[in-house]
């Protein structure tokens, strides 16, 4: 489970000095977590503040995005996490998300009453750690600290890796191996196995290396110098010694450069397949040029980096890809500012640890892995030919089909590469485009797709799972995360699993990863049911008018109880690695509802809220004892408010209800609240 | 009226609100947040909601009255209303907002106007319900008693 590893790294982190300045994990963590909440709705803001305070967090509230930004800028290290509404009058929540990701690199959780897939997806692609559906429940807020820890853990690890030479040298190799052992590293850019190894190595080495030598932090400027030096020498000829001489940075050793170079090469390699939008490539390239001298030689690489950091829109990245692929370095005006570029390289961690230029270094293995994940239509031969034919758009087109999964995969990688929260547009773009299977885009995708797969395989597990599933979107996260966390189980591909929440993905998923199917189905099953549940929700209001109000109420009760029972459902589905806290309100309900809708078993057998939806329908038309007996499920609500409502009380109450079914009120057959005591 | 009786009335009344769909479980969450350090929390939040919703409703009336209706703006207002009403557990208001948004999506002015009326109506109704609720609570507090917490299913 993630928790243990997180804790492990947490303890390690605290022992190192590379912890982010000002961020120390106190013993009472997560109490005292400094939360900034932004919402233009005063009612929601007040409720959130109260809830967060009840969670023992230190809360600062703002009702305007601008205020929030200025607060963050004034006190960069004064906050651990940001909660922001999506719809705000002065600034779009996603824009705020971008800014925060760029400037402060804090985990950001989006919130909205809007639970539409598009919006949630936007949250994912823009790099939100999570997406909460309003009304936000306190239970959902209790778990937000995990995002903080996760982020720090990732950054710490990267610090560690960038600073430690031996480790750095080993890691790229490991990642390569991991990549090549396709099945082992589904969805993880580092692979779970490797990650564990790394952690252990890191743990050991950390202490020694911390004591022995100062860690080199690859700051933006330093990295820019590095890249400039590499560009000058030419990626093939760039040897650490010469780079070191060119950089002329006092205190920098050849070993530092060597390890960084290796990581950079890997990063570039991964980047080569990430971008799927050709148009942006050229734009990015042109933007790059001003900043970096001979950008063209490494255009693909650097652009990838930039794109990865989310600074560049997906299209720019695609354009870069094209450039990197050797196409004419078309220069179109890209709105990439130098600041952004600097930010891109601001990762003082080996986020650059991605493969190098696509063509030059793409390996068969990597591509194969990548392609496996991609749509079933892809075959090994095609993959191979694709790989070789960097420019063979035709082949690429075939690969494009399941853009959804790929993009989701890509995104994790991108996010991992850059700041996690900076992957906004590129991901969004990729995802959207993928889903639409836009023909023109396909041609440009070509290699990027391959790289994506590759990247995905290599992408760190840390980044992807969180980011992908962050939006708290039940189906998406579950599906996305499955591949990630089960890298070893997926035969060399994470795409289909980590697919976007599109029903279409289900087919592609089913097509290939049989191993994963069991898990995917679980999540896949959510997809259609989600819509069903929505329909149910939609129908509810009408049904209320017509039918028992009590039923309507209870249905809502059940939806809440569904949330509480989602945990059960999740475990039942064999989900792993994610806290149920990731799921939220409607999402959970949808997930559970889907199960309920599809389940046809005896009511009594369905102890969880799974049968709730079924009941909903039943209730609407049938006020029989059967419905009442199903109230046993109502005990689930007790799970939601364990603190406030004695489960025993509830159970006994419900059981009593059940017993006295015959004598119960007939008008309201069922409800979350006992009817027995209500005088009629 | 005896304290116990008032308390009982309160409980029953609250339950009826749930049963009739005026309130949903989110309201319980609010109640849970209320504690001794913040004894009027629910009252404050609900009051805030009505203040805010009144403004939103007025904006909506104005917006729908325009020759060129800006559906995007309307949708945004309704969305906000939906968010805040769902946050306090005002279920019927929330549902009316959902219906409203649907008409907004298809740019059906007539439908929007009807929905607006519905939302206003629901807000008005639930406001009255809350007022009754708070009055009962006040009576209890005045008699020296404590407000009973609502439990799911007795």
């Amino acid at each position: 489970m993630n928790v243990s590893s997180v804790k492990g790294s947490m303890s390690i982190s605290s022992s190192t000095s590379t912890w982010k300045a000002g961020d120390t994990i106190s013993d009472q963590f997560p109490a005292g977590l400094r939360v900034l909440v932004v919402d233009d709705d005063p009612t929601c803001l007040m409720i959130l503040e109260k809830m967060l305070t009840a969670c023992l967090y230190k809360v600062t509230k703002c009702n305007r995005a601008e205020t929030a930004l200025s607060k963050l800028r004034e006190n960069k290290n004064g906050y651990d996490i940001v909660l922001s509404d999506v719809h705000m009058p002065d600034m779009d929540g996603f824009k705020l998300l971008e800014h925060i990701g760029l400037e402060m690199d804090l985990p950001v959780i989006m919130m909205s009453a809007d639970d539409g897939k598009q919006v949630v997806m936007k949250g994912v692609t823009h790099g939100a750690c999570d997406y909460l559906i309003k009304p936000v429940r306190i239970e959902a807020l209790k778990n937000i600290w995990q995002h903080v820890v996760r982020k720090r853990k990732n950054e710490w690890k990267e610090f560690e890796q960038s600073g430690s030479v031996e480790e750095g040298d080993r890691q790229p190799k490991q990642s390569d191996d991991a990549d090549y052992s396709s099945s082992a590293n589904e969805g993880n850019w580092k692979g779970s196995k490797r990650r564990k190894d790394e952690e252990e190595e890191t743990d050991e080495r950390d202490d020694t290396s911390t004591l022995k030598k100062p860690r080199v932090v690859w700051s933006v400027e330093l990295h820019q110098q590095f890249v400039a030096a590499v560009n000058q020498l030419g990626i093939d000829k760039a040897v650490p010694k010469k780079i070191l001489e060119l950089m002329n940075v006092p205190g920098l050793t050849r070993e530092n450069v060597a390890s960084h170079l290796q990581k950079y090469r890997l990063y570039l390699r991964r980047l080569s397949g990430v971008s799927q939008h050709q148009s942006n490539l050229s734009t990015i390239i042109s933007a790059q040029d001003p900043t970096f001298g001979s950008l063209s030689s490494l255009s693909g690489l650097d652009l990838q980096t930039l794109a990865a950091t989310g600074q560049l829109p997906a299209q720019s990245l695609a354009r870069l890809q094209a450039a990197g692929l050797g196409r004419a370095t078309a220069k179109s005006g890209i709105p990439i500012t130098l600041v952004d570029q600097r930010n891109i390289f601001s990762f003082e961690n080996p986020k650059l640890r991605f493969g190098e230029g696509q063509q030059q270094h793409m390996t068969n293995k990597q591509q194969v892995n990548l392609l496996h994940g991609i749509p079933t239509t892809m075959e090994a031969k095609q993959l191979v030919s694709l790989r070789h034919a960097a420019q063979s758009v035709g082949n690429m087109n075939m690969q494009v089909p399941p853009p959804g999964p790929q993009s989701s995969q890509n995104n994790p990688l991108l996010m991992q590469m850059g700041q996690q929260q900076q992957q906004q547009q590129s991901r969004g773009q990729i995802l959207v485009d993928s889903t639409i299977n836009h023909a023109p885009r396909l041609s440009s995708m070509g290699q990027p797709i391959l790289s994506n797969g590759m990247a995905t395989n290599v992408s760190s597990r840390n980044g992807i799972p969180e980011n992908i599933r962050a939006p708290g979107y039940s189906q998406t996260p579950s599906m996305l995360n499955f591949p990630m966390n089960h890298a070893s189980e997926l035969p060399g591909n994470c795409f289909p699993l980590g697919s976007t929440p599109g029903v279409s993905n289900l087919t592609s998923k089913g097509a290939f990863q049989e191993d994963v199917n069991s898990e995917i189905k679980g999540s896949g099953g959510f997809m259609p049911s989600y819509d069903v549940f929505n329909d149910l929700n939609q129908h509810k209001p009408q049904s209320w008018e017509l039918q028992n109000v009590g039923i309507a109420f209870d249905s809502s009760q059940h939806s809440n109880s569904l949330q509480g029972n989602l945990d059960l459902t999740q475990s039942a589905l064999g989900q792993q690695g994610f806290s149920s806290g990731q799921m939220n309100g409607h999402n959970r309900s949808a997930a559970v509802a889907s199960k309920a809708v599809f389940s046809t078993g005896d009511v009594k057998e369905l102890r969880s809220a799974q049968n709730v939806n079924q009941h909903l329908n039943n209730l609407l038309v049938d006020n029989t004892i059967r419905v009442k007996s199903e109230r046993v499920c109502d005990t689930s609500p007790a799970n939601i408010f364990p603190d406030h409502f004695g489960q025993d009380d509830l159970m006994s109450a419900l059981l009593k209800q059940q017993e006295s079914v015959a004598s119960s009120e007939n008008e309201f057959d069922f409800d979350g609240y006992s009817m027995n005591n209500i005088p009629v | 009226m005896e304290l116990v009786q008032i308390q009982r009335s309160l409980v029953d009344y609250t339950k009826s609100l749930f049963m009739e769909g005026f309130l949903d479980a989110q309201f319980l969450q609010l109640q849970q947040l209320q504690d001794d350090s913040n004894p009027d929390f629910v009252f404050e939040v609900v009051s805030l909601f009505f203040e805010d919703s009144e403004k939103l409703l007025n904006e909506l009336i104005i917006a729908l009255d325009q020759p060129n209706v800006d559906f995007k703006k309307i949708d945004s207002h309704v969305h906000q209303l939906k968010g805040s009403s769902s946050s306090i557990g005002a279920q019927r208001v929330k549902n009316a907002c959902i219906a409203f948004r649907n008409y907004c999506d298809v740019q059906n002015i007539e439908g929007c106007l009807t929905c607006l009326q519905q939302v206003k109506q629901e807000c008005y109704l639930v406001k009255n319900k809350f007022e009754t609720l708070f009055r009962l609570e006040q009576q209890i507090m005045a008699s020296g008693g404590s407000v009973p917490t609502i439990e799911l299913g007795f």
Side-chain angles (χ1 to χ4, degrees), chain A residues 214-284:
Chain A
R215 192 150 298 127
V216 172
V217 168
W218 283 88
S219 65
V220 174
E221 292 78 14
L222 201 59
H223 180 73
Q224 281 182 349
Q225 280 180 279
F226 169 83
V227 172
V230 170
N231 288 344
Q232 211 173 320
L233 293 166
I235 189 65
D236 288 339
K237 295 217 179 78
V239 286
K241 194 157 179 221
K242 293 207 179 133
I243 298 175
L244 186 65
E245 285 167 19
L246 274 177
M247 286 177 71
N248 196 20
V249 171
L252 196 65
T253 68
R254 195 205 74 83
E255 287 78 18
N256 295 139
V257 175
S259 71
H260 193 70
L261 178 64
Q262 243 176 334
K263 287 171 201 152
Y264 186 63
R265 284 219 177 99
L266 274 173
Y267 158 69
L268 291 174
R269 201 178 317 173
R270 275 181 215 133
L271 280 181
S272 64
V274 167
S275 165
Q276 293 177 2
H277 301 277
Q278 180 181 3
S279 55
N280 289 332
L281 278 179
S282 42
T283 314
I284 294 178

Side-chain angles (χ1 to χ4, degrees), chain A residues 130-388:
Chain A
D130 205 342
Y131 190 103
L132 304 179
I133 306 288
K134 287 183 180 173
V136 179
R137 295 154 54 79
I138 194 169
E139 288 81 12
L141 295 177
K142 282 205 171 116
N143 286 329
I144 62 174
W145 58 267
Q146 62 175 294
H147 301 291
V148 179
V149 175
R150 195 177 287 117
K151 209 170 170 69
R152 289 185 189 172
K153 179 156 107 60
N154 290 345
E155 288 165 355
W156 172 81
K157 264 178 110 180
E158 287 158 350
F159 279 138
E160 178 57 26
Q161 288 159 358
S162 70
S164 162
V165 172
E166 301 143 16
E167 198 185 349
D169 290 343
R170 267 175 55 173
Q171 279 169 1
K173 285 183 196 153
Q174 283 177 348
S175 61
D176 289 349
D177 294 338
D179 290 339
Y180 302 149
S181 59
S182 57
S183 55
N185 294 316
E186 281 300 317
N188 296 339
W189 88 269
K190 264 193 230 163
S192 49
K193 275 193 300 188
R194 186 171 140 245
R195 186 155 155 271
K196 288 181 201 152
D197 294 339
E198 284 173 7
E199 281 178 14
E200 286 150 9
E201 295 159 3
T202 308
D203 296 354
E204 298 160 357
R205 206 168 290 110
D206 182 41
D207 294 337
T208 52
S209 51
T210 320
L211 297 171
K212 283 179 187 167
K213 59 180 185 284
R215 192 150 298 127
V216 172
V217 168
W218 283 88
S219 65
V220 174
E221 292 78 14
L222 201 59
H223 180 73
Q224 281 182 349
Q225 280 180 279
F226 169 83
V227 172
V230 170
N231 288 344
Q232 211 173 320
L233 293 166
I235 189 65
D236 288 339
K237 295 217 179 78
V239 286
K241 194 157 179 221
K242 293 207 179 133
I243 298 175
L244 186 65
E245 285 167 19
L246 274 177
M247 286 177 71
N248 196 20
V249 171
L252 196 65
T253 68
R254 195 205 74 83
E255 287 78 18
N256 295 139
V257 175
S259 71
H260 193 70
L261 178 64
Q262 243 176 334
K263 287 171 201 152
Y264 186 63
R265 284 219 177 99
L266 274 173
Y267 158 69
L268 291 174
R269 201 178 317 173
R270 275 181 215 133
L271 280 181
S272 64
V274 167
S275 165
Q276 293 177 2
H277 301 277
Q278 180 181 3
S279 55
N280 289 332
L281 278 179
S282 42
T283 314
I284 294 178
I285 294 173
S286 55
Q288 294 283 333
D289 285 342
T291 314
F292 308 101
S294 52
L295 182 62
S296 51
S297 60
L298 286 174
S299 56
L301 310 181
D302 293 333
L303 291 175
Q304 290 292 357
T305 313
L306 289 175
T309 52
Q311 298 299 327
L312 310 173
Q315 288 171 355
S316 301
L317 180 57
R319 226 171 283 146
L320 283 175
Q321 282 293 342
L325 289 174
R327 294 182 202 176
T329 304
K331 298 190 184 182
S332 47
I334 298 187
I336 297 177
T337 63
L338 289 183
V339 174
D340 289 347
Q341 289 170 337
R342 210 172 300 119
N343 280 334
I344 291 173
F345 293 106
S346 65
F347 28 106
E348 301 164 331
N349 41 35
K351 278 175 187 165
L352 292 185
R353 197 187 340 187
F354 302 104
E356 28 191 308
Q358 313 90 28
Q359 287 107 10
Q360 301 159 1
H361 306 279
M362 284 244 279
T363 63
N364 293 337
K365 281 188 191 174
Q366 286 176 342
Q367 291 190 359
V368 168
N369 293 341
L370 176 62
L371 293 175
H372 275 314
I374 301 183
T376 37
T377 55
M378 292 308 299
E379 296 179 15
K381 289 181 195 168
Q382 290 173 351
L383 293 180
V384 172
S385 59
L386 279 172
R387 184 162 30 77
H388 292 306

Side-chain angles (χ1 to χ4, degrees), chain A residues 4 14 34 44 54 95 140-141 166 192 211 293 349 367 388 402 424 456 597 618-619 639 664 667:
Chain A
S4 51
S14 46
R34 296 161 303 174
C44 293
K95 244 182 137 141
L141 295 177
E166 301 143 16
S192 49
L211 297 171
N349 41 35
Q367 291 190 359
H388 292 306
Q424 317 115 9
T456 312
V597 170
N618 293 336
L619 292 170
N639 297 333
S664 303
E667 189 179 340

